[in-house]
Structure formats: structure tokens, C-alpha cells
Amino acid sequence: MPEPSTLYSLLYRSEASRAVHEVTLTTLVRKARLYNQQARITGMLLYGKGQFLQLLEGPEPVLSDLYARINDDKRHYDVTTLSYGPIELRAFGRWPLAYAAVDAAFLERVAQCLPRPAAVGLTAPPCPEVAQLLRDFAREQD
């Protein structure tokens, strides 16, 4: 039996390109959920005020391969890694990809507590306030 891969968590933000609108996002989320379910990736995508904020959890190297594809996606730019590192448990175990359009105030609350990006290597996981805020939001969407 193969040894299970280490679980990692990734948090990033990016700016939406002009090509992004509600129809595009609906299609993107539907396809991402199918892929994530097959790849054993979970997480949440928030969109608001022309910005994306996404938290993904999954096995390495699947997660890093997905992130490489995300970085090449023309629907957004200025992709910034906020947190990337190993985790013991998933925060979004039931969610192949939770999605919500959120208001600017919600994104601002999350942005106030985001860790600073690191130039190279692993960074600390998101601060407890961000992790709790995202878990609370996910529960509200049930």
C-alpha cells in the first residue's frame, strides 16, 4: 500500500482580470469542484471587489501542480502566496470548493489578518483569526 502524501494548505490572493464576470465564475467553480474532488483537494474561493482569495488543502505534489496552473490562468493576475505549508487536518474536509461572492467589508476583515508572503520556502499557516473566519463562513454556507 502506498504511503499517503503529506497534506498541505495554500492561501493566496489575486486580482481579477477584466474577463471575469458571474458567468465565467460559475463555470470556473463547477469545473474546479470536479477536478478538486478527483484530486482530493478541498478549500474555499472568495471573490469580491475584483479580488480573489482562495484557501486550498490537499496532498503534495498535487497541490503544488494545481498552484502552478492557477499562476498561469489569465482570468487573474498578481497572484500572491500568503501561506503555504504542511497541515495535520483539513479545515474544509467536506468542501471540494466552497465559493462565495463576498462584500468588500468581508474581504477587508480577512485581509487585515493575512500573513506576509515569504520570498522562498514554506510560510506560516494563516493566523488563527483568518482560519476561524473562513471556517465560520463555510459553516454559514451549509
Side-chain angles (χ1 to χ4, degrees):
M1 176 186 280
E3 188 173 291
S5 299
T6 302
L7 278 179
Y8 272 65
S9 175
L10 163 68
L11 179 65
Y12 76 90
R13 70 176 177 211
S14 64
E15 299 288 327
S17 71
R18 291 181 188 208
V20 173
H21 48 79
E22 196 59 39
V23 173
T24 308
L25 286 173
T26 301
T27 302
L28 175 138
V29 169
R30 185 172 29 88
K31 288 180 179 179
R33 283 178 177 154
L34 291 172
Y35 174 83
N36 288 359
Q37 194 166 23
Q38 293 170 349
R40 297 181 11 241
I41 292 174
T42 55
M44 175 178 282
L45 173 65
L46 303 177
Y47 175 77
K49 190 172 88 163
Q51 296 181 9
F52 291 104
L53 180 69
Q54 185 165 29
L55 184 138
L56 295 168
E57 307 162 321
E60 266 298 329
V62 174
L63 192 59
S64 61
D65 291 344
L66 174 59
Y67 195 42
R69 289 190 3 237
I70 287 169
N71 272 287
D72 290 338
D73 193 318
K74 302 299 181 213
R75 291 172 285 202
H76 63 163
Y77 61 95
D78 197 20
V79 178
T80 304
T81 304
L82 301 171
S83 172
Y84 187 70
I87 57 173
E88 290 186 29
L89 299 171
R90 293 176 189 260
F92 295 92
R94 298 179 304 142
W95 296 79
L97 183 62
Y99 166 73
V102 296
D103 62 21
F106 184 81
L107 276 183
E108 203 53 45
R109 282 176 42 215
V110 173
Q112 288 175 6
C113 190
L114 292 175
R116 299 280 182 233
V120 177
L122 301 179
T123 60
C127 63
E129 293 86 353
V130 166
Q132 186 62 49
L133 187 62
L134 292 173
R135 281 192 297 273
D136 289 348
F137 185 78
R139 274 195 292 277
E140 291 172 12
Q141 299 304 305
D142 276 338

